[in-house]
Amino acid sequence: MWTKATVICLFLSAIVSVPETVVGQQQMLGTDHLQLIEIRGKQRRDRIDGLTGVARTAPAPALEPLNPPRSTARQPAYDLHPNSGTLTPSGESIEFLGMEELQALIQSSIDASRVSEAQAKWNSIEQKLDSNLQDIRQLSQRIESVSQTPSQSVSSGTVASSISHLAPGIPRPEAQITPTSSPLQSSAVPWLTLTLSAFLVSLFALTLSAYRLGLSRASHLDRPTAPPQHVPTTVPEQYMPESSELRPRRTRGLAWPHEDAKAGATVLPLPVSQQEEIPEPLAPNIDLSTDDSATILSFETFSDQHRDEKKQKQEVNSALMAQILQDNLNLSNKAS
Amino acid sequence: MPAQNKDVLMSNKPQCVGIDFGTFKTSIVASNGNRDSIMTAVGLPKDHIARGMLGCDEVFGDRIGQVRTAVNLVRPFDCGALKYTDSSAAGLSADEVNRRCKAAKSIMGEVVRRVELGTGPRYAVIGAPSQASDEAKNVILQAASPHFDAVMIVAEPFCIAYGFGHLVGTLVVDIGAGTIDVCPMFGTYPKPDQQYSASVGGDAVDRELLSLIQQAHPDAQVTLNMARQFKEKFGTVSDDQERAVVVMPVEGVPTEFDITDIIRDACRVLVEPIIEGIHKTVAMSDPEFQAQLRGNILLGGGGSQLRGLDRLLETGVEKLGGGKVTRVNDCLYAGAAGALKLCMAMPAENWEQLRSQNAKAA
Ligand SMILES: Nc1ncnc2c1ncn2[C@@H]1O[C@H](COP(=O)(O)OP(=O)(O)OP(=O)(O)O)[C@@H](O)[C@H]1O
Ligand SMILES: [Mg+2]
């Protein structure tokens, strides 16, 4: 009963905890993602600020979320390479603002005769940046929506694929954004918990059964037993043959009626099928899914069978001994 | 418990031994944990000079090999005489019978001395061939009774089976030096007429091998002992075996001979009697248990070590309905260990009963 209840409780709690963790992971991914977008956007803005004095005149929010999500600083070349990628959220191709472009812009803006031309260029760039910003907002909204739907089975792979769909030139973020290899964040955690608790439960059930069995065994010991024999009936371990084959087998019991053996009649063993039914001693199969009382019951049957088998063996043995003694008494009679 | 009482109890503890008193070798296993095995032979000094050199009247075990030229070897059960057959059947003179009985006593004394039994009643279970004659059993009894308070004689294959705990549905085949004994186990003590014994064994193989070598290589100098050593080293009954190249002197010059085919042919002398024994004992037993017996054939004794014997016997048993043949791991002590197990399992009252009857008879 205990076992069942505990197992069910654990199972339920595991069911509840599994999606939670998965969702938490998704949310974490989303937050990280957005934070990174923020950071990268800021870096980009600072860089532009440093490069151009004119950048201040440009609308700051338009520049802010320009960078697509990036996680590591291992690829600094990204910002410096011109036209390093294209964003295609709605099918159209948008070029990134590269270093050379910016320099050309600065040059042209210094040239007073081409101020108006530069202004026009600025406007087009601004438009491009605006559409970029929209795309990125769209993306972040998608990420957010994905992370807020727990029942939907969305993996980090889906988010990653949507990001890579927007920016195929950028490495998939799953390897960089979230340290998925970390054991504490992987989906193995709930299973580990589940396995551990299942193990503890089985340990508890085993202890309980063993304790109860001990009580039942102790009660058997109170019963009167046969008087001890002077000559030990089994060969001590050290006198036994070394090879395991030479040792007597515990499993194969001898099976025939006590009375027949005592009467000295020619007795025949039970058919093979019945002999083989005798269970292997000392190896009870404990099934945790069954009720405890059933387990105890099977233990009792087992120990009863074991005792019967032992008793039967003793009877056979004593019949054999009597026969051998008789043969030898006859022999010594004949000799004298 | 006071130390004195403990000592008294310990001194009354029965000293049990199991003995395989074989034609070729004698193995003893004692309840004090000691065991030993020697050749069933005694070396008697050839003359006074040899006696003076050896410093004793009898030589046993490995020492015989070292002083072979100075002693006359007596093998009490040579060719199964006095063990399986009566002295008259073996054609032994009264003198020879006396000499052999004395040798048997000496060997028994030697093995008992080697296991260093403590004080306390001494009981022994000794293996004898399944169908040993009463005279043969008496020879064993007389050899052992001076050393023990009570002795029981039990069929050799039964000892092996008892040691393994195979008391039901097993056919034990003991391939010794003097005899091949086949004994079916039904859970009861097997009666002599349920068992089978053939007076063929390792000794017969040695003799056959010697004569075949002499026929094939007349110039080679070879003895029965050398033939036995060749057999024990290269003994096989199968065709696909490594070449048996042995060294035998030719006019004093060591010369190599390939005797692969000769050894195989000599060893195959055993196969027919074993198959016949299996066939007869299975046919005599309860029809419902015949298949079980054939399915669990256990080979014991030194002869079971012949390479390929188990497989060849399985092929031979196929025409009787098929079966499975296995061999014991420790053929040297399997019988003696089973005898000891039986000795210790025997209730004290049984030993007392036998002891008092022996006392009355004496
Ligand atoms: N490796 C071996 N290969 C073949 N034969 C062997 C091998 N080792 C021992 N033998 C033979 O086995 C025989 C001895 O076997 P074992 O000791 O069982 O006989 P025993 O008990 O003395 O004789 P028995 O049972 O007939 O009285 C000898 O003939 C010996 O040459
Ligand atoms: Mg033997």
Side-chain angles (χ1 to χ4, degrees):
Chain A
M1 293 294 268
W2 268 97
T3 323
K4 253 189 184 171
T6 327
V7 166
I8 287 166
C9 279
L10 269 160
F11 185 63
L12 283 175
S13 69
I15 286 171
V16 172
S17 74
V18 167
E20 247 176 39
T21 324
V22 174
V23 169
Q25 212 184 320
Q26 299 286 353
Q27 279 172 343
M28 215 179 337
L29 178 77
T31 325
D32 273 10
H33 205 137
L34 289 178
Q35 274 174 353
L36 277 160
I37 290 168
E38 286 265 324
I39 292 164
R40 301 301 282 175
K42 199 166 173 284
Q43 280 175 353
R44 172 95 193 207
R45 197 172 58 225
D46 291 350
R47 203 164 280 146
I48 293 171
D49 280 357
L51 275 171
T52 62
V54 275
R56 293 215 172 273
T57 58
L63 271 169
E64 192 178 19
L66 174 70
N67 277 353
R70 297 275 306 208
S71 59
T72 57
R74 261 199 286 161
Q75 287 174 320
Y78 171 76
D79 290 307
L80 301 174
H81 276 287
N83 309 323
S84 58
T86 50
L87 284 171
T88 57
S90 48
E92 60 179 317
S93 173
I94 303 156
E95 287 186 352
F96 279 113
L97 198 62
M99 189 67 155
E100 282 163 27
E101 234 175 319
L102 276 169
Q103 275 172 351
L105 185 67
I106 293 158
Q107 281 293 321
S108 61
S109 63
I110 290 167
D111 191 346
S113 64
R114 295 164 83 182
V115 165
S116 56
E117 203 183 323
Q119 191 60 53
K121 264 191 178 178
W122 256 120
N123 287 344
S124 76
I125 288 166
E126 236 178 308
Q127 272 173 3
K128 279 181 187 178
L129 289 176
D130 269 347
S131 74
N132 270 8
L133 177 67
Q134 268 172 11
D135 288 340
I136 290 182
R137 281 206 178 123
Q138 227 178 321
L139 176 65
S140 65
Q141 268 169 7
R142 269 172 75 177
I143 290 168
E144 227 155 307
S145 69
V146 158
S147 61
Q148 276 168 4
T149 46
S151 57
Q152 218 174 313
S153 65
V154 185
S155 68
S156 62
T158 321
V159 178
S161 69
S162 56
I163 291 164
S164 66
H165 163 72
L166 290 170
I170 302 160
R172 288 169 71 91
E174 67 210 331
Q176 297 167 16
I177 293 173
T178 331
T180 44
S181 56
S182 161
L184 284 174
Q185 285 176 16
S186 75
S187 62
V189 175
W191 292 110
L192 198 73
T193 324
L194 192 64
T195 319
L196 202 70
S197 31
F199 172 71
L200 285 173
V201 169
S202 30
L203 203 69
F204 172 72
L206 262 173
T207 320
L208 192 72
S209 319
Y211 173 69
R212 290 225 218 152
L213 181 74
L215 286 185
S216 69
R217 281 251 168 100
S219 67
H220 292 321
L221 288 177
D222 295 336
R223 293 178 199 166
T225 48
Q229 290 176 333
H230 296 297
V231 176
T233 49
T234 49
V235 182
E237 200 67 7
Q238 71 264 34
Y239 309 139
M240 288 302 295
E242 279 164 354
S243 75
S244 59
E245 282 217 20
L246 272 174
R247 286 162 185 269
R249 292 212 177 149
R250 287 163 179 268
T251 45
R252 182 82 61 97
L254 293 163
W256 58 76
H258 173 190
E259 288 75 22
D260 282 0
K262 271 217 165 155
T266 309
V267 284
L268 287 170
L270 289 175
V272 193
S273 57
Q274 289 187 33
Q275 287 175 27
E276 300 303 334
E277 272 170 22
I278 297 167
E280 181 92 19
L282 304 175
N285 199 2
I286 302 160
D287 187 1
L288 283 178
S289 64
T290 58
D291 199 277
D292 262 356
S293 57
T295 314
I296 299 296
L297 191 71
S298 73
F299 263 118
E300 295 240 317
T301 339
F302 158 73
S303 67
D304 278 350
Q305 275 176 341
H306 189 51
R307 252 200 318 282
D308 285 353
E309 196 185 326
K310 256 185 135 176
K311 209 172 140 197
Q312 235 172 14
K313 260 191 174 172
Q314 273 173 5
E315 282 161 10
V316 169
N317 231 20
S318 58
L320 267 177
M321 300 303 148
Q323 182 71 48
I324 292 168
L325 173 69
Q326 197 51 51
D327 271 21
N328 280 280
L329 287 174
N330 291 347
L331 183 70
S332 78
N333 267 343
K334 272 187 220 166
S336 56
Chain B
M1 187 188 295
Q4 216 179 352
N5 285 359
K6 202 175 165 187
D7 284 348
V8 170
L9 274 182
M10 291 301 280
S11 67
N12 284 323
K13 206 177 150 211
Q15 303 290 303
C16 296
V17 298
I19 301 174
D20 180 358
F21 204 18
T23 308
F24 176 70
K25 62 101 188 65
T26 301
S27 305
I28 183 166
V29 183
S31 60
N32 62 6
N34 294 337
R35 66 178 196 177
D36 210 334
S37 180
I38 62 170
M39 233 177 115
T40 310
V42 55
L44 305 174
K46 278 180 178 169
D47 50 32
H48 285 292
I49 303 165
R51 204 209 156 277
M53 187 267 288
L54 296 170
C56 58
D57 289 323
E58 288 166 334
V59 184
F60 301 97
D62 294 341
R63 193 153 179 237
I64 293 176
Q66 295 155 13
V67 297
R68 260 187 68 85
T69 48
V71 294
N72 286 321
L73 205 61
V74 182
R75 282 182 66 189
F77 307 124
D78 199 8
C79 305
L82 295 183
K83 196 152 188 280
Y84 172 62
T85 51
D86 285 350
S87 52
S88 51
L92 300 178
S93 66
D95 268 3
E96 178 66 10
V97 172
N98 264 343
R99 207 164 73 102
R100 289 191 177 208
C101 287
K102 205 167 159 255
K105 254 181 217 169
S106 304
I107 294 160
M108 188 61 82
E110 172 68 12
V111 291
V112 173
R113 194 184 57 72
R114 285 182 179 220
V115 290
E116 297 168 338
L117 296 177
T119 53
R122 293 178 170 195
Y123 303 131
V125 169
I126 303 175
S130 303
Q131 294 183 322
S133 65
D134 284 347
E135 186 195 348
K137 284 182 183 170
N138 270 324
V139 171
I140 298 174
L141 271 183
Q142 278 164 22
S145 49
H147 308 287
F148 295 99
D149 292 285
V151 175
M152 287 192 191
I153 293 184
V154 176
E156 275 170 13
F158 179 82
C159 290
I160 296 175
Y162 193 85
F164 278 85
H166 285 201
L167 297 182
V168 185
T170 303
L171 193 69
V172 184
V173 181
D174 181 6
I175 309 161
T179 55
I180 291 169
D181 296 294
V182 185
C183 173
M185 299 299 303
F186 299 116
T188 50
Y189 187 65
K191 295 185 177 70
D193 57 3
Q194 290 174 326
Q195 302 176 57
Y196 174 90
S197 258
S199 53
V200 197
D203 285 350
V205 175
D206 300 345
R207 285 192 297 271
E208 176 74 6
L209 181 59
L210 179 66
S211 82
L212 287 179
I213 291 174
Q214 283 167 341
Q215 273 172 33
H217 310 288
D219 9 324
Q221 294 173 296
V222 61
T223 63
L224 192 63
N225 195 41
M226 283 164 71
R228 184 179 54 77
Q229 284 167 357
F230 297 156
K231 174 196 73 179
E232 287 176 11
K233 189 158 188 188
F234 296 105
T236 178
V237 291
S238 66
D239 293 317
D240 52 342
Q241 213 63 44
E242 53 169 334
R243 309 308 296 173
V245 179
V246 300
V247 177
M248 291 182 282
V250 176
E251 290 178 354
V253 181
T255 313
E256 281 192 349
F257 292 93
D258 186 333
I259 58 165
T260 313
D261 296 342
I262 296 175
I263 284 194
R264 190 198 52 229
D265 292 347
C267 291
R268 282 191 176 172
V269 165
L270 295 179
V271 177
E272 260 321 298
I274 296 173
I275 300 273
E276 195 192 326
I278 292 172
H279 191 182
K280 281 191 174 164
T281 42
V282 168
M284 277 189 289
S285 59
D286 188 310
E288 283 183 46
F289 293 95
Q290 291 182 358
Q292 200 187 348
L293 283 181
R294 281 198 313 269
N296 198 6
I297 298 171
L298 184 66
L299 299 186
S304 67
Q305 301 303 296
L306 290 174
R307 263 156 268 166
L309 184 62
D310 45 357
R311 274 169 285 144
L312 193 68
L313 288 180
E314 271 177 6
T315 319
V317 171
E318 254 166 34
K319 61 176 183 275
L320 311 176
K324 191 164 178 287
V325 182
T326 49
R327 43 176 125 199
V328 300
N329 290 343
D330 183 6
C331 66
L332 192 59
Y333 288 107
L340 171 66
K341 191 182 166 193
L342 189 58
C343 184
M344 295 179 81
M346 188 66 67
E349 312 87 80
N350 289 15
W351 284 117
E352 274 309 313
Q353 202 178 333
L354 192 62
R355 191 181 178 172
S356 57
Q357 174 163 330
N358 288 348
K360 259 188 253 166

